[in-house]
Amino acid sequence: MARTAAPVPPPSLADGVRAPEWDDGLDCWVVADPRLAQQVLNHPGFASGTFERSFQLYMTDEARAEYRELTEFLRLWFVQADAPEHTALRRPVQRMLSASYVRSLAPRIEEITDECLTDLAAASPQDVMPHVADGISGKVMAHVVGLDVPPPVLHRWSRTLSLFIGAMYRRDHARAAHEVMVEMGEALTGAKALEGFPTGTPEDRARTTATWAMCLFGGLETTASLLGSTLLTALGDRELWARIRADEPGAVTDLVESVLVTRPPLRHLGRVVAYDQEIAGERLREGDLVLVSLTGQGPLDETAPADAPAPAAAVCPVTGAAAAAEPAGPERNLVFGHGPHYCVGAPLARLEAALLLRRLAARFPHARLTDEAAVWGPNLSYVGLDHLYVDLGGEN
């Protein structure tokens, strides 16, 4: 890879800010300090095209040739682009998912939530994750995009793509992801969300399909994880659950923000070093991969138990304040990213979590966790439950 000159100075480190560290096991740089993470996520010296670099590093030439359609599909996701291309591609999606549009979805999301709670009440055992977390996130995204596809299929698509993205060297993951790509493309043909987006040429159709496949992917697993963790936290603290049942002002929104900090659905974002640069004596080379922490912590210790509880006084990754004492607001954490790539779906995810808490408290005020309720899924970057067993205790 040819070296390019640095067009702007590298990020600067104030006193006490941790420098990036090289992780031999992950073979990449790790940015754990939230103050440096903010700079990296908003600096042209760190590019967003991690898929392209990962294809080069982890897929054989033969696999890249065999699954060229798949790699081209993922390259077209606008989260893999930087300005000005990213800005132009993101703008129409951001307009569509405007704050006013998200607010207008509240009645439909309430209906979906009640449908899923009814399914949960009829289930045995009562497992929040498939019936409620996957159900709500799947039905909401199907409504937004305009698809007649059930949540289990949507989540199978997103989980299959996640497996490939996390282990591109595995041909079986590539094969399954390619099949999912074809299914998603066929399902998205004629979807209402694509109306008004360019489809006049094969290139336009490919870009538009990839954009909405990306939006589907982004609105499923992380949102389901947030919903599960929110209910785990609420039902695991009877005093907190009482405040939510009483609809105390701020109780629901404060809890959602606290969960985003203590149990964020996504721990890290990837970046690629765009050109040689030096930060605090560390020499970063063009093409190096960078893992940027959204939590103020480095990668998880893989020997730690998957069901380890969140710390009682988790630290807000931006302010350093104890999140348990003062839940962080939307502008005070990195959970949804930072800068130009801030997640366009953040308001929708927050709304789904808040409405779930309110509808559960209204319909099933005596809900509680069962013994050994939480079963966590092991993953380095994602924080999500595989199962969350509850006893709804009868309808109000």
Side-chain angles (χ1 to χ4, degrees):
M1 180 179 294
R3 303 295 183 202
T4 56
V8 295
S12 58
L13 267 65
D15 290 343
V17 175
R18 290 172 59 188
E21 300 175 0
W22 180 260
D23 188 295
D24 286 323
L26 297 173
D27 200 26
C28 70
W29 293 99
V30 174
V31 174
D33 193 290
R35 290 160 291 183
L36 180 58
Q38 281 191 329
Q39 293 188 66
V40 167
L41 292 174
N42 201 23
H43 193 284
F46 297 87
S48 302
T50 54
F51 287 171
E52 173 64 30
R53 186 60 177 140
S54 296
F55 299 152
Q56 297 170 359
L57 292 174
Y58 305 125
M59 295 183 73
T60 64
D61 293 341
E62 294 79 6
R64 289 201 302 273
E66 183 177 357
Y67 296 105
R68 183 175 179 278
E69 282 185 88
L70 174 62
T71 58
E72 288 300 319
F73 167 74
L74 292 173
R75 282 191 189 98
L76 292 176
W77 288 16
F78 68 69
V79 294
Q80 293 294 300
D82 291 303
E85 181 185 14
H86 171 265
T87 306
L89 295 170
R90 172 191 172 99
R91 187 177 293 119
V93 176
Q94 190 164 355
R95 281 199 299 266
M96 183 171 174
L97 295 176
S98 65
S100 60
Y101 171 71
V102 170
R103 286 194 298 270
S104 77
L105 292 175
R108 178 59 186 138
I109 297 176
E110 284 192 350
E111 292 175 357
I112 288 171
T113 301
D114 280 338
E115 292 169 6
C116 293
L117 289 174
T118 298
D119 291 343
L120 178 65
S124 180
Q126 293 174 336
D127 186 353
V128 163
M129 296 314 295
H131 297 291
V132 174
D134 287 0
I136 292 173
S137 56
K139 289 185 177 184
V140 169
M141 288 310 300
H143 176 78
V144 168
V145 179
L147 293 177
D148 185 18
V149 179
V153 174
L154 294 174
H155 280 279
R156 174 176 62 80
W157 289 350
S158 63
R159 286 165 185 159
T160 300
L161 289 174
S162 294
L163 287 173
F164 171 67
I165 291 169
M168 293 180 178
Y169 56 87
R170 288 187 52 167
R171 299 289 283 272
D172 57 337
H173 287 347
R175 186 183 312 111
H178 183 273
E179 293 171 357
V180 160
M181 175 201 70
V182 173
E183 289 183 48
M184 293 179 82
E186 292 174 350
L188 285 165
T189 301
K192 70 175 184 179
L194 279 65
E195 296 174 2
F197 283 74
T199 56
T201 68
E203 292 77 13
D204 287 340
R205 288 192 292 275
R207 172 69 77 180
T208 295
T209 299
T211 292
W212 283 103
M214 180 203 72
C215 291
L216 265 180
F217 177 83
L220 292 168
E221 296 314 304
T222 53
T223 301
S225 295
L226 173 62
L227 298 180
S229 292
T230 298
L231 288 195
L232 172 65
T233 304
L235 296 178
D237 185 328
R238 302 314 293 176
E239 182 178 342
L240 177 58
W241 183 235
R243 291 180 57 216
I244 292 170
R245 287 168 50 192
D247 197 22
E248 289 187 13
V252 167
T253 53
D254 286 353
L255 173 58
V256 173
E257 294 308 315
S258 178
V259 170
L260 283 168
V261 172
T262 58
R263 289 192 176 99
L266 185 64
R267 290 183 180 271
H268 311 98
L269 287 176
R271 289 294 183 267
V272 181
V273 178
Y275 45 76
D276 290 0
Q277 54 189 289
E278 185 172 308
I279 303 177
E282 299 289 356
R283 188 68 176 171
L284 282 65
R285 302 288 184 181
E286 181 179 353
D288 286 350
L289 290 176
V290 182
L291 200 63
V292 183
S293 172
L294 303 180
T295 66
Q297 301 173 348
L300 291 174
D301 179 355
E302 294 189 61
T303 64
D307 59 350
V315 174
C316 171
V318 174
T319 64
E326 184 181 5
E331 74 286 354
R332 292 175 55 199
N333 63 60
L334 295 174
V335 172
F336 290 109
H338 179 72
H341 284 266
Y342 186 83
C343 177
V344 296
L348 182 58
R350 285 186 166 103
L351 178 61
E352 290 176 57
L355 289 177
L356 172 56
L357 283 170
R358 292 191 172 103
R359 295 307 302 149
L360 180 67
R363 285 189 60 181
F364 300 101
H366 305 297
R368 64 176 183 85
L369 299 175
T370 64
D371 295 337
E372 300 181 357
V375 180
W376 292 95
N379 193 299
L380 178 65
S381 292
Y382 287 92
V383 179
L385 290 153
D386 282 348
H387 302 282
L388 179 62
Y389 299 107
V390 298
D391 179 349
L392 292 179
E395 197 157 357
N396 194 16

